[in-house]
Amino acid sequence: MQFTDLGLRPELVRAVAAAGYATPTPIQERAIPVVLERRDLIACAQTGTGKTAAFLLPMLQNLAGGAAARHPRALVVTPTRELAAQVGEMAKQYARHLPVRSTVLYGGVGMAQQKRRLAAGLDLLVSTPGRLLDHLGRRQASLGSIETVVLDEADRMLDMGFLPDVRRILAALPAQRQSLFFSATLPDEIEGLIRRSTAAPVLIEATRRATPVSKIRQVVHPVAMTRKKELLCRLLADADMGQALVFTRTKARANQLVRHLERSRRRAVAIHANKSQAARTRALAHFRSGAVDTLVATDIAARGLDVDGISHVINFDLPHVAEDYVHRIGRTARAGRSGAAIALAAPEEEKQLAAIERLVGQPIPCEHVAGFAPAPAAAATGDRSRRVPRMRRRRRGSGRATTSAVG
Ligand code: AMP
């Protein structure tokens, strides 16, 4: 199957070829014709499946075929600023040969420039819920001409408490419209929302194209909690280390770690929810361009983050929720490249490690870095002696390894 077989215009096929996509992903094959026909759609799909192009390409085609209006004719609502920015960038990239104007709105930056862009007229609007409602409240945006609406990552909007905002946005749209729902899971609240918005949607379930865990080299380095920073610096100094994404449990630990890395002359930067939008955007741009080689993030900040070329994911702290480990490590080994996931495990994190190993269905190989094994004194005390050996145990060849990393 080729992009041309899906009924896309040559301008879009050219843009897709320039983006380096050879063939459509499964969700693109199935969703593009449905969206082109202006039917309603529910797609169960995560990041990494190619879901963004699956809705943007046909929407751009429908927009290019219609008459331009002063107010936007298509709307994409996303849970986070990062995702809005990414969708907006992709829309610009895919629409480069078409006369379709798009703009992105999100909070944390000034309203004035966004107001000007809205007033100038546009076809496609990408926005987070809160900022869109702000503009609507000030009558700086109108949704009266919307023909197609996309709720992207609807389940995350629910998790983040945006459902009331989303309902208000949907209520401001014309009743006659195309509704597209993209969600990794379909909790009851989302199903309810969908039922009220559409009568006969097409349902598509996409398997993700993210890196299977089995494709990522995983290793655990046991280390005392107090020596993690030192070990991290040692690992980052390794010649094989390209771009590293380092996860900490808290925002405070991310900041501390960046200060430590800077003192060790690493080009590191933190992204987490307390950073201003401008600082987060700048950090990501520097990481993408290679000006920064170590990005330190918390789980929430890293959600939806899509950066190719991460050679190493380092779990500076093990996550409390085992699933987060799979989310974290799926950010390496993208696009056929190789990738490694390193976990720094202190004796007191034994429980988290055991939960992760249960989830990925296999023990993670454990390697001691010379000079960093947790102090023997720890093993001598009755309590800790039970913990350290647990991490040394090797049980190869048993268990499944079918879990996929979500990216
Ligand atoms: P998404 O699931 O929309 O977050 O997309 C994940 C990644 O896949 C993005 O980096 C896209 O640029 C890339 N992508 C989307 N469609 C294709 C395709 N047909 N072939 C190769 N890469 C793609």
Side-chain angles (χ1 to χ4, degrees), residues 3 21 23-25 28 46-52 90 209 306:
F3 278 102
Y21 310 164
T23 52
T25 65
Q28 290 165 359
Q46 277 148 331
T47 311
T49 54
K51 68 179 171 70
T52 315
M90 284 179 160
R209 220 176 48 115
D306 187 21

Side-chain angles (χ1 to χ4, degrees), residues 3 16 19-28 45-55 57 83 86-87 90 93-94 152-153 209 304 306-308 334-335 407:
F3 278 102
V16 155
Y21 310 164
T23 52
T25 65
I27 188 162
Q28 290 165 359
Q46 277 148 331
T47 311
T49 54
K51 68 179 171 70
T52 315
F55 62 77
L57 293 170
L83 187 59
Q86 271 171 29
V87 172
M90 284 179 160
Q93 192 185 353
Y94 302 148
D152 195 11
E153 308 206 348
R209 220 176 48 115
D306 187 21
V307 186
D308 285 336
R334 285 282 187 87

Side-chain angles (χ1 to χ4, degrees), residues 44-51 153 155-156 183-185 206-216 245 247 299 302-307 310 313 322-334 359-360 402-407:
C44 294
Q46 277 148 331
T47 311
T49 54
K51 68 179 171 70
E153 308 206 348
D155 50 353
R156 270 177 63 200
S183 199
T185 58
T207 44
R208 55 180 103 95
R209 220 176 48 115
T211 324
V213 166
S214 57
K215 291 249 169 76
I216 303 169
L245 176 59
F247 283 95
D299 288 294
R303 289 255 167 125
L305 190 79
D306 187 21
V307 186
I310 294 174
V313 169
E323 280 79 9
D324 283 343
Y325 175 82
V326 178
H327 283 271
R328 288 177 177 187
I329 73 169
R331 299 181 186 284
T332 182
R334 285 282 187 87
L359 180 74
V360 299
T402 51
T403 312
S404 270
V406 187

Side-chain angles (χ1 to χ4, degrees), residues 140-315:
Q140 290 166 182
S142 163
L143 301 182
S145 305
I146 296 291
E147 296 161 10
T148 303
V149 61
V150 181
L151 294 192
D152 195 11
E153 308 206 348
D155 50 353
R156 270 177 63 200
M157 293 205 247
L158 169 72
D159 289 345
M160 296 172 75
F162 290 149
L163 221 49
D165 285 355
V166 169
R167 288 203 189 96
R168 286 172 59 202
I169 292 167
L170 291 180
L173 301 177
Q176 269 297 336
R177 62 167 193 258
Q178 179 182 34
S179 303
L180 312 175
F181 299 91
F182 283 75
S183 199
T185 58
L186 285 181
D188 288 348
E189 293 91 333
I190 298 296
E191 276 211 54
L193 187 80
I194 294 173
R195 255 200 318 275
R196 281 190 292 278
S197 308
T198 164
V202 176
L203 176 71
I204 295 178
E205 284 184 64
T207 44
R208 55 180 103 95
R209 220 176 48 115
T211 324
V213 166
S214 57
K215 291 249 169 76
I216 303 169
R217 267 180 296 117
Q218 297 177 68
V219 65
V220 172
H221 294 318
V223 58
M225 194 60 92
T226 49
R227 298 199 61 207
K228 281 189 173 187
K229 282 185 192 145
E230 222 181 308
L231 175 55
L232 179 69
C233 285
R234 165 84 68 88
L235 295 172
L236 290 176
D238 193 308
D240 289 344
M241 187 67 62
Q243 287 208 296
L245 176 59
V246 179
F247 283 95
T248 60
R249 210 165 25 77
T250 65
K251 292 173 264 193
R253 280 173 72 78
N255 287 340
Q256 278 166 15
L257 188 57
V258 165
R259 282 197 295 274
H260 183 89
L261 292 174
E262 281 169 350
R263 282 197 296 275
S264 319
R265 299 186 182 283
R266 296 291 306 178
R267 291 170 302 164
V269 66
I271 66 163
H272 54 64
N274 283 4
K275 293 256 167 175
S276 72
Q277 185 54 42
R280 282 152 77 172
T281 307
R282 212 167 37 238
L284 268 185
H286 287 162
F287 189 62
R288 286 208 175 95
S289 73
V292 155
D293 46 29
T294 310
L295 190 63
V296 182
T298 56
D299 288 294
I300 304 223
R303 289 255 167 125
L305 190 79
D306 187 21
V307 186
D308 285 336
I310 294 174
S311 66
H312 290 73
V313 169
I314 302 180
N315 290 280

